[in-house]
């Protein structure tokens, strides 16, 4: 089930319409009957300004949020076959993707097949031709005896009753073949390596399985098969969407919430419980490479979400040490702030080029340590000790053991030796270690101290 490159991935998420400073609404060209867009404006090259930054941090894969022709924010698709003209042409993006591949990056694309936008070419055909349209059965719930708040003269099923999102009928073979044809086109043009499958729990399982089989038979950009990363809307239990027939990975929303809540409340018992539930010996994701993140295009920036700002570097130092693979949302590596407010554009800002500061140094050290450690990339998870503000766990693989220590307290903490089994039992730490983040050497004879506000990666010599 696992995909080897996902196991070792260090991912970076970019929202291209935001980063490239695209207009928030896509203009219309009524002479263009296919996707109604005006001539492309090449903005997508701005992504190339990030290559040096990402290579220096240790990033090896890039996850692109929507890039297809859409009405506004990318998730109301007009055309599955064409790059959003606010970013450029298909050929423009193909050149960018080629350059990224040449620099060693694997590429993951957002893929939303549950619904499209009102500007989608087939939906416009229904609006224009009503009962005479040949595309009526492409959409769910179309009823010409009813109407919508948009006064279309017919009713249709909209996702979450949001009328910008007509739902596709994925039981229609013609719709499925249209989507698969688009994926073939993406692979021909962009040689992508994975799909981030949005709202997977709203998709028919039959469609998901067909998609997985289809992608398994296609060659990915840097070799191997195209990976499927599922996105569950509720984010609580993603295991049911991950199997040999469905997704290979998933966003880890539950872990993100546990980490942020624990840091804000200065109580990480829930975080410790979640890590053990997910990745312990009998964990529900113990054999699944989960995508771990602190923020993204829908969540407040981590720097804004943290009530205790001194804990921001600790979150970024801890992330690459967790089982699964880390994903950084663009700009957060240098501490960009933002909350959603009335819309999500505040979480999708434009930047001409990346920045580097002390927080980026912190991120780079943690990602570099992970890059050079099989235990941190692939290792098992074993909890060693937990307290209200402290957590110690072990990652082991390929004969390497890393002890990861977290202290969110402002004070030194002496980890007490408590013999026995169960909660808080700890037999002590013995031997010589290299601390990978600082480069210091450490020796322990049982008791050991966690420095205040610290994360340590202790590699046993």
């Amino acid at each position: 089930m696992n995909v080897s490159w996902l196991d070792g991935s260090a991912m970076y998420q970019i929202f291209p319409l935001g980063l490239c400073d695209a207009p928030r609404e896509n203009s219309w060209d009524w002479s263009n009957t296919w996707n109604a867009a005006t001539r492309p404006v090449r903005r997508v090259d701005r992504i190339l300004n990030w290559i040096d930054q990402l290579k220096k941090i240790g990033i090896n894969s890039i996850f692109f949020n929507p890039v297809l022709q859409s009405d506004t924010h990318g998730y109301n698709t007009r055309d599955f076959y064409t790059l959003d003209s606010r970013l450029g042409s298909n050929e423009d993006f193909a050149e960018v993707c080629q350059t990224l591949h040449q620099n060693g990056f694997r590429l993951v694309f957002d893929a939303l097949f549950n619904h499209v936008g009102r500007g989608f070419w087939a939906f416009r055909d229904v609006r224009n031709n009503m009962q005479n349209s040949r595309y009526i059965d492409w959409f769910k719930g179309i009823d010409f005896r009813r109407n919508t708040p948009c006064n279309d003269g017919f009713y249709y099923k909209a996702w979450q009753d949001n009328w910008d999102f007509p739902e596709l009928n994925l039981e229609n073979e013609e719709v499925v073949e249209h989507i698969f044809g688009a994926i073939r086109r993406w692979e021909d043009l962009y040689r992508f390596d994975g799909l981030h499958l949005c709202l997977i729990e709203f998709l028919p399982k039959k469609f998901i399985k067909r998609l997985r089989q289809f992608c398994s038979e296609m060659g990915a950009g840097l070799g191997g098969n195209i990976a499927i990363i599922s996105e569950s809307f509720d984010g609580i239990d993603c295991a049911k969407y991950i199997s040999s027939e469905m997704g290979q990975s998933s966003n880890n929303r539950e872990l993100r919430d546990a980490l942020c809540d624990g840091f804000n409340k200065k109580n990480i018992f829930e975080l410790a419980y979640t890590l053990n539930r997910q990745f312990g010996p009998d964990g529900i994701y113990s054999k699944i490479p989960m995508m771990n993140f602190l923020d993204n295009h829908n969540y407040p920036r981590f720097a804004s979400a943290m009530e205790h700002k001194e804990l921001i570097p600790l979150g970024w130092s801890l992330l690459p040490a967790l089982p699964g693979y880390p994903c950084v949302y663009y700009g957060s590596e240098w501490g960009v702030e933002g909350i959603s407010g009335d819309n999500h554009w505040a979480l999708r800002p434009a930047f001409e080029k990346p920045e580097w500061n002390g927080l980026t140094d912190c991120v780079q050290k943690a990602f570099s340590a992970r890059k050079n450690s099989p235990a941190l990339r692939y290792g098992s998870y074993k909890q060693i000790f937990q307290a209200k503000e402290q957590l110690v766990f072990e990652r082991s693989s390929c004969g390497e053991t890393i002890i990861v220590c977290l202290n969110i307290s402002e004070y030194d903490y002496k980890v007490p030796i408590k013999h026995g089994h169960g909660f808080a039992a700890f037999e002590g730490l013995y031997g010589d270690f290299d601390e990978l983040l600082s480069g210091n050497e450490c020796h322990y004879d049982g008791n050991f101290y966690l420095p205040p506000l610290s994360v340590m990666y202790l590699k046993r010599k």
Side-chain angles (χ1 to χ4, degrees), residues 130-341:
M130 303 296 280
Q131 288 95 331
N132 295 321
S133 173
R134 65 175 299 269
Y135 300 108
I136 293 173
D137 195 43
W138 278 44
F139 304 93
K140 289 184 179 179
I142 288 187
D143 185 350
F144 291 99
R145 297 167 298 179
R146 303 169 62 188
N147 206 346
T148 67
C150 301
N151 197 29
D152 294 298
F154 62 92
Y155 181 86
Y156 58 90
K157 191 175 188 303
W159 183 72
Q160 303 280 293
D161 290 329
N162 185 329
W163 302 105
D164 285 339
F165 299 145
E167 290 197 20
L168 285 172
N169 177 14
L170 295 174
E171 303 292 337
N172 183 324
E173 186 64 22
E174 195 174 19
V175 174
V176 174
E177 286 302 320
H178 180 78
I179 290 171
F180 285 6
I183 295 173
R184 289 190 197 95
R185 178 69 169 155
W186 304 346
E187 184 58 22
D188 288 343
L189 283 167
Y190 310 130
R191 301 294 296 159
F192 68 98
D193 302 271
L195 292 178
H196 178 259
L197 194 56
C198 300
L199 306 181
I200 193 169
E201 69 267 50
F202 293 93
L203 300 174
K205 287 187 177 180
K206 177 182 176 182
F207 172 80
I208 300 170
K209 292 177 180 180
R210 286 188 61 183
L211 177 66
R212 170 67 183 273
Q213 180 64 31
F214 179 76
C215 289
S216 295
E217 296 170 354
M218 297 177 63
L222 291 185
N225 297 326
I226 294 171
I228 303 292
I229 304 170
S230 65
E231 179 202 41
S232 172
F233 191 62
D234 61 27
I236 297 301
D237 185 359
C238 305
K240 56 190 174 185
Y241 306 114
I242 302 172
S243 71
S244 60
E245 295 182 312
M246 299 175 77
Q248 292 119 312
S249 174
S250 180
N251 294 42
N252 201 342
R253 295 187 178 194
E254 182 187 15
L255 182 57
R256 181 265 172 199
D257 292 343
L259 190 152
C260 289
D261 288 348
F263 276 34
N264 281 333
K265 295 173 182 176
K266 286 293 192 84
N267 184 336
I268 56 175
F269 281 125
E270 180 186 355
L271 172 61
Y273 168 80
T274 300
L275 282 168
N276 201 52
R277 172 182 174 270
Q278 292 189 347
F279 302 113
D282 299 315
I284 59 174
Y285 305 141
S286 60
K287 300 183 184 302
I288 297 171
M290 296 292 286
M291 180 198 287
N292 301 321
F293 64 97
L294 299 179
D295 51 21
N296 62 25
H297 60 297
N298 288 321
Y299 277 86
R301 293 281 184 166
F302 188 63
S304 297
M306 285 296 93
E307 298 175 11
H308 309 283
K309 301 303 183 186
E310 69 275 11
L311 299 184
I312 294 172
L314 273 62
W316 289 111
S317 295
L318 182 65
L319 183 69
L322 301 177
Y325 57 96
C327 184
V328 180
Y329 189 45
Y330 77 104
S332 288
E333 75 270 26
W334 70 83
V336 166
E337 297 203 27
I339 56 176
S340 59

